[in-house]
Amino acid sequence: MSEADRPHATSEADRPRTAPEPRLRTRDRGRPRARLPIHVVIALPLALAGLIALLITGNALRPFDRITTIEARMASKSDYFKDPEVQRLLLKHGLRVDIHRLGSRGIATQSLKGMDAVFPSGQPAAKLILNRQDHSVRSVRPFVTPLVLGTFRDYAETLRKMGVATPQPTTDGGRTLYYDLDMRKFMALLDGTADSRETGDQDGDGTPERADTWNGIGFDKAGVRSNSGRVLVRTSSVCESNAAGTYLSILAFVANGDSTPGAGADDEARATQEAETVARKIKPLIDLQGMWADEQADSYLSDLGESIAPISLIYEHQYLAHQIEYRQEYSKQDTDRVLLYPTPYALTEPQLISLNDKGDRLVRVVEDDPELRQRAIELGFRVRFSGEEGTSDQLNDYLSAHGIQVPTPNRDETKVYEPDLDVLQEIINSVGSCPPPVPDAP
């Protein structure tokens, strides 16, 4: 028998394998069902309620809406568009504003390439921008706000005792939040010099003082506090800020005998000469800072505000917005911080200016949406209605309803009007030594 014919033992690996017969498994009905995690059970009603709310309000498809981003260069009134509620209301219209921060005069003099809209804080800058456009543009002035000086009660009371500030009356007999400021008398304190009648012991406390310091006008008379610094107003840069430019207009108006510089000039040369003369008078009266107007308010309203500056140049709406928020948080007014309303006074009129079709959409929404107007009131602005200069009634009603003292108009209604653009530019450049403007890019 050959080797090939011999039987061989079959190994385990060589044996054919058979697949087991598949079995159909059925669930044991007596076995309990697997339960959802507890956090899923809790979240389901909330998710369902949210879906129902979105369906009712028509916002279920909002995440799929196309949002248009508006590139906008803005000055101090950018705080309106930074407000979360304003941003929410704009999103309802499919708009989002990307803010590029710059002072009003910087907006007016620098390149606007790539911008859809601009929002300078006052008319001088707005006029410069409009003059640069080679086509008609859409714009709106949604609200106005007075220029004011923010200070602290002890400083305001010192000015009151000097006959420079007058407290506004309150309805409850409590401590007032507002004072009227006589600018002619106040400017006599800002000049840093004393006349022959005010040298020596000015406040009658037996100690000779240098003129025009806080101690020199009696700040230390109570014997509790002292400040030997000059009486000055901390301003933003006149080269950038509408607030500082408007403050210059007030100083120039008073220094020019309650007359707008250049208004009565027969020719341009005479107007320029008058502007130069006024600029020399008022240049020593302000403390120039490289800040924007809203940053002045941030410093003033901070915990260290009084140590930073006794008096700061701000807008009324910034102070009122602070009081509204303070009342909501502490159920009382902030009576340590007070406002000085200059006499004569100046209103600032922010103007939202469109530069293209995307900007047009933003202007139309701000102009037409009543919820945006109401929100402006809640932020302390005097909102325009039907072309009115400023609607104090709506703002006053809101302040009263929230337990905040309403400012009362000064009986002296003298209003400062800005000089012509060329004259104002001459004053600003003379006082601030401003750099030349940056031309539009080609």
Side-chain angles (χ1 to χ4, degrees), residues 155-171:
Y155 290 97
E157 283 296 303
T158 301
L159 294 174
R160 179 188 66 80
K161 293 173 184 176
M162 285 290 295
V164 177
T166 304
Q168 294 186 6
T170 61
T171 56

Side-chain angles (χ1 to χ4, degrees), residues 68 104 115 133 150 172 255 276 321 409 416:
T68 299
S104 291
M115 295 296 106
Q133 306 309 308
D172 59 0
E276 292 173 349
V416 172

Side-chain angles (χ1 to χ4, degrees), residues 76-81 86 119-123 140-146 317 347-352 366 372-377 379-385 388-391:
S76 59
K77 301 308 176 289
S78 61
D79 50 7
Y80 173 72
F81 285 95
V86 170
F119 197 22
S121 296
Q123 286 304 287
V140 62
R141 288 178 286 171
F143 36 67
V144 300
T145 186
H317 78 90
L347 283 177
T348 60
E349 301 177 83
Q351 187 162 353
L352 180 62
V366 170
L372 285 172
R373 288 198 296 272
Q374 177 59 33
R375 184 56 184 164
I377 292 173
L379 293 174
F381 289 100
R382 301 176 185 269
V383 177
R384 286 177 175 270
F385 288 95
E388 295 178 11
E389 187 175 75
T391 54

Side-chain angles (χ1 to χ4, degrees), residues 79-80 83-89 142-145 316-328 369-385 391-402 404:
D79 50 7
Y80 173 72
D83 177 66
E85 179 63 13
V86 170
Q87 293 175 350
R88 185 190 70 81
L89 293 172
F143 36 67
V144 300
T145 186
E316 180 196 55
H317 78 90
Q318 295 169 323
Y319 178 85
L320 296 181
H322 165 73
Q323 288 291 355
I324 293 169
E325 184 177 348
Y326 195 92
R327 165 66 79 172
Q328 292 172 347
D369 191 326
E371 290 183 292
L372 285 172
R373 288 198 296 272
Q374 177 59 33
R375 184 56 184 164
I377 292 173
E378 295 168 1
L379 293 174
F381 289 100
R382 301 176 185 269
V383 177
R384 286 177 175 270
F385 288 95
T391 54
S392 297
D393 290 344
Q394 287 82 359
L395 177 61
N396 292 348
D397 291 344
Y398 185 82
L399 294 175
S400 295
H402 289 77
I404 298 168

